[in-house]
Amino acid sequence: MDQTTVLSLFKESGALLEGHFKLSSGLHSSKYLQCALVLQHPKSAEQLGKTLADALRDLRPTVVLSPALGGLIIGHEAGRALGVRAIFAERQEGVLTLRRGFMLAETDRVLVVEDVLTTGGSTRETIQVARAAGGHVVGAAAIVDRSGGDARFDVPFDALVDVDLPTYEPDACPLCARGEPVAKPGSRPVVA
Ligand SMILES: [Zn+2]
């Protein structure tokens, strides 16, 4: 799938909307992104996982590691397409950790996968978890990069699409200034 096809999957499922939104942070934006809405469709999740896997197969990963919760479904689908294990790290008292008996061996080539890369913080943290557990991190990937290209890692990184999500303080919002009504995503169906 190319960028256009990926974006059309997002738009069809309401995972990417354009308009005037109040985000859960309280900030306003002209776009709304919620990956879970595209991943709720197993067929789409499978296609996205396969596309990520095809882009990253050359790194020869032996295991996919994702941060919970956002990375779980796409990590699982990428692992399925690569034919390797898919495990996840989760927060315990605020610290991302491997639990549930998940282990990495020194011979493991770890691919870190998440849904949306915002600042890169959670991917960076997941890379640390993998290294602390003894794995060799060969790369990182996300479905969407909304960092504006700012996120940098010491391993190769790839995303299926780049999405620019401008956010504004409500009193500095140009959409409010134009008098456009603001919608809270999830409160009612919105047609993109
Ligand atoms: Zn506004």
Side-chain angles (χ1 to χ4, degrees):
M1 280 194 290
D2 58 11
Q3 289 227 13
T4 313
T5 317
V6 172
L7 282 173
S8 63
L9 275 188
F10 270 73
K11 287 176 180 165
E12 282 161 19
S13 61
L16 182 62
L17 303 175
E18 296 190 19
H20 180 196
F21 303 102
K22 183 180 179 183
L23 307 178
S24 52
S25 59
L27 297 174
H28 288 198
S29 180
S30 57
K31 285 183 190 163
Y32 168 71
L33 175 73
Q34 177 49 268
C35 254
L37 291 177
V38 65
L39 295 173
Q40 72 180 318
H41 303 289
K43 192 77 206 165
S44 300
E46 181 185 22
Q47 288 175 318
L48 292 167
K50 185 176 184 309
T51 307
L52 269 184
D54 289 345
L56 295 150
R57 201 177 303 276
D58 287 351
L59 298 172
R60 293 179 291 113
T62 61
V63 58
V64 170
L65 174 64
S66 299
L69 274 167
L72 283 190
I73 292 173
I74 190 61
H76 188 264
E77 290 299 335
R80 184 208 302 275
L82 289 163
V84 303
R85 285 191 296 148
I87 63 175
F88 57 88
E90 59 201 302
R91 292 201 184 276
Q92 189 172 30
E93 288 163 14
V95 184
L96 204 62
T97 8
L98 281 185
R99 301 181 65 195
R100 302 170 197 268
F102 288 147
M103 286 195 284
L104 292 171
E106 272 177 33
T107 48
D108 268 324
R109 299 173 58 83
V110 184
L111 177 65
V112 170
V113 172
E114 71 175 327
D115 57 348
V116 183
L117 189 91
T118 303
T119 62
S122 116
T123 285
R124 208 165 283 116
E125 210 179 335
T126 310
I127 290 173
Q128 293 309 328
V129 168
R131 288 178 177 156
H136 171 57
V137 181
V138 293
I143 306 172
V144 178
D145 180 0
R146 49 161 295 198
S147 76
D150 287 346
R152 293 272 181 277
F153 306 102
D154 57 0
V155 294
F157 171 78
D158 198 20
L160 298 186
V161 283
D162 296 319
V163 174
D164 178 33
L165 253 93
T167 51
Y168 313 103
E169 294 292 342
D171 56 7
C173 173
L175 302 155
C176 283
R178 287 205 295 270
E180 293 181 21
V182 64
K184 200 167 171 229
S187 55
R188 63 187 166 84
V190 187
V191 178

